[in-house]
Every structure is written in C-alpha cells, then in structure tokens.
Amino acid sequence: MIVTLSTVLNIAEKNKWAVGAFNVPNWESAEAIIGAAEETNKPVILNYAPVHAPFMNMEDAAEIMKYFANKAKVPVCVHLDHGGSFETCIKAIRLGFTSVMIDASAKPYEENIRITAEVVKAAHAVGVSVEAELGHILASVTGVGKAPVKIETKDSFADVNDVYTRPEMAKEFAGLTNVDALAIAFGTAHGIYVTKPVLDLERISRIKEAVDMPFVMHGGSGLSKEEFQTAIRNGIRKINYYTYMTLSGGRAVKAAMDKQSSTDTVFFHDIPFIAVNAMKEDVKQAIRIFSDEI
C-alpha cells in the first residue's frame, strides 16, 4: 500500500527502529526492494534520486515505484531523494510521489530555511511529507558512469562544525520550516567507503535532545551492524542504503558469468533475474539490521 513518509516514520518511531530507503534506478531494483519488504513484513521507502536520470527519468520511475507500492502488502513510501530545487520537488509531487526531499544544504543557512519552508508549505497542502538536510554529508565515491572519483573526510574542512549538524541549528531549522524529517551529518558518506568513516554517533543524541523529530542517515551503506543499531538507538529513523545493494546485484551477475565457458549460451533474461535475487537478499539483511532482528 502506498503511504507518506510520515506514516512509515511513525511506525519506525513506535517500534524504535529505522525504515530502509532504497534507490530505484530501474524496474529490477524496485522488484528486489518490494520482494525484500514483503518477505520481512516491514515498511519500506522507494527512493528516486535525480542523479539516476541517465538510467531512468523521473516520469518513468514514478510509474514503476507507484505500481510496486500500490500492490505491495506492506506500507511503501514513494520518495524523491535529494531534490535540488523547489521546481524539482513540485514536479515529483505532481507525478504522485508521497514524499520529497528538498536538499538546499549546500546553500547558506538562511537560504536553506527559506527554500525548505516553501517546499513544506506546498507539499503539506496536498498531504505530501518533506525531508530536508542540514550539515554536509561527506562523499566517498560519487558520480555516474565515468564521473570523477571524489573522496572527502571531515579533515577536508577547517572546522568539524562546518561539516556536522549542530544541535542548536537543527532545533531552529525544524521550528522555522516545519519539516517532517531531517537528514543530519555525523560522519557518514555517500558511495563506497575507501577509508573507514569516523562517526560522531553521540552527536545524534545531542541533536535529539535539542529537537525531538525523525532523523535520517544518508550514506548508510558499508557500516557495521553495531554502528547502524547505535545510530538507531540515538534517534535515526530513516536510513538511505543503495551502494552495497546494487553492488550485490553486479557481483552476483559477474560471478554467474565467470562460471560460463566461452561456448555457453547466455540469455539476457537470466541476467536481471540473478541481480534481483541477490539485491533482494542484501535488502532483507539491511531491513533486519535496521529493525534489530539480527
């Protein structure tokens, strides 16, 4: 069943665990995510990120995600990840997304507040939830295709408080924007970790003490079970997880192809089937960790 972000976050808060948010750049990803959600009987969030436009445009992604969400046996939120402008968020709302993220975190603080508040006002008027970001989520390996590799750590910045979310600013930001969920920065990074991240997990607790609302972890792939579950205990209620999910699909396909001899016949329809099954198992593992079942 299709629901809003606020609905699945309320479920997560009641149970004191986090809902997984998994990106959908193609049909196979959606199939794997919903299969995992139904087999674990847990709500899930289907993300579409504009960075995946080379693989699938937003219009097509909306139809695929709504199709899977509507027929799912568990609550499913259809979410825009890292919407870069008011216009992008409005486009997603018109396409039927039940939640949007407005990411104006790279802009000056006051501008982030203004843009976020505008999106919240428009989205709430039609029953759509809004996530925003405050602080700087680091980048480990980013880009699509042959885009350059980018590596950041907290040492890339002069002051850690220029990177990580400040509790007092989070409280003010939430009050001025009325946002439903806040992505906070505490040391995780988007992409494949090339070095072990230095996480400030206690910062989550300090932010939670300042403002009691659902917090979001971006750059969730690659952490240990203990790190995930500590972050959840401290207040994280949504975890974005994609890189290692899609890696599992790619690795499974490569392993299957490596077993083939040069004379074997390879049918294309077998390839996505292999990837879907591998991604589903990886997502099931993530969901179980997020709900403290393993």
Side-chain angles (χ1 to χ4, degrees):
M1 70 194 80
I2 189 167
V3 299
T4 66
L5 179 63
S6 292
T7 298
V8 296
L9 290 179
N10 286 339
I11 295 170
E13 179 61 33
K14 179 180 178 181
N15 290 280
K16 302 302 179 186
W17 37 252
V19 179
F22 306 92
N23 284 19
V24 177
N26 49 42
W27 175 281
E28 289 78 15
S29 296
E31 184 179 359
I33 295 161
I34 296 301
E38 290 187 333
E39 289 184 21
T40 57
N41 196 32
K42 293 294 189 300
V44 73
I45 299 163
L46 297 179
N47 274 351
Y48 175 77
V51 70
H52 289 140
F55 307 128
M56 184 166 61
N57 62 49
M58 189 190 296
E59 291 83 357
D60 291 342
E63 294 306 310
I64 290 172
M65 293 195 297
K66 288 188 297 181
Y67 168 76
F68 277 99
N70 279 316
K71 75 184 188 73
K73 299 174 183 177
V74 294
V76 180
C77 170
V78 175
H79 180 71
L80 173 68
D81 188 36
H82 289 287
S85 68
F86 176 86
E87 292 76 17
T88 300
C89 291
I90 295 303
K91 177 181 178 181
I93 292 169
R94 288 173 174 164
L95 288 171
F97 284 64
T98 58
S99 173
V100 296
M101 178 193 182
I102 174 63
D103 183 4
S105 60
K107 297 184 182 296
Y109 177 63
E110 293 76 13
E111 186 74 357
N112 190 358
I113 290 174
R114 182 188 66 78
I115 295 170
T116 300
E118 288 180 353
V119 172
V120 169
K121 182 178 179 180
H124 284 183
V126 291
V128 172
S129 305
V130 181
E131 173 189 340
E133 183 174 313
L134 185 63
H136 182 85
I137 310 298
L138 302 171
S140 181
V141 176
T142 62
V144 175
K146 297 182 179 179
V149 170
K150 182 179 182 182
I151 301 172
E152 290 179 342
T153 69
K154 67 182 181 64
D155 297 324
S156 304
F157 300 83
D159 185 344
V160 70
N161 283 313
D162 293 333
V163 186
Y164 294 169
T165 305
R166 303 182 187 188
E168 68 277 8
M169 291 180 74
K171 179 179 180 179
E172 181 181 62
F173 186 91
L176 292 173
T177 62
N178 199 29
V179 73
D180 300 294
L182 187 62
I184 57 175
F186 54 93
T188 56
H190 292 291
I192 302 169
Y193 288 128
V194 293
T195 60
K196 181 66 178 174
V198 179
L199 304 182
D200 186 356
L201 295 171
E202 287 306 310
R203 184 173 292 257
I204 306 170
S205 298
R206 295 198 299 274
I207 299 171
K208 186 74 171 177
E209 290 171 1
V211 53
D212 188 8
M213 66 179 300
F215 298 127
V216 181
M217 175 197 290
H218 284 248
S221 296
L223 303 185
S224 69
K225 179 184 77 171
E226 291 73 21
E227 288 168 329
F228 277 126
Q229 294 181 346
T230 298
I232 293 165
R233 284 194 300 271
N234 291 354
I236 292 295
R237 292 292 172 259
K238 171 177 177 277
I239 297 177
N240 283 30
Y241 180 100
Y242 173 69
T243 301
Y244 286 75
M245 176 192 88
T246 195
L247 273 176
S248 69
R251 286 169 174 165
V253 170
K254 184 178 186 301
M257 294 303 102
D258 286 346
K259 292 179 181 179
Q260 303 291 320
S261 71
S262 59
T263 58
D264 286 340
T265 299
V266 177
F267 294 102
F268 176 75
H269 59 244
D270 291 326
I271 295 174
F273 180 77
I274 294 166
V276 166
N277 285 335
M279 289 191 293
K280 183 175 72 172
E281 292 305 310
D282 188 79
V283 172
K284 284 166 61 177
Q285 177 85 348
I287 290 173
R288 287 169 176 150
I289 290 173
F290 301 164
S291 54
D292 200 17
E293 291 188 356
I294 57 174

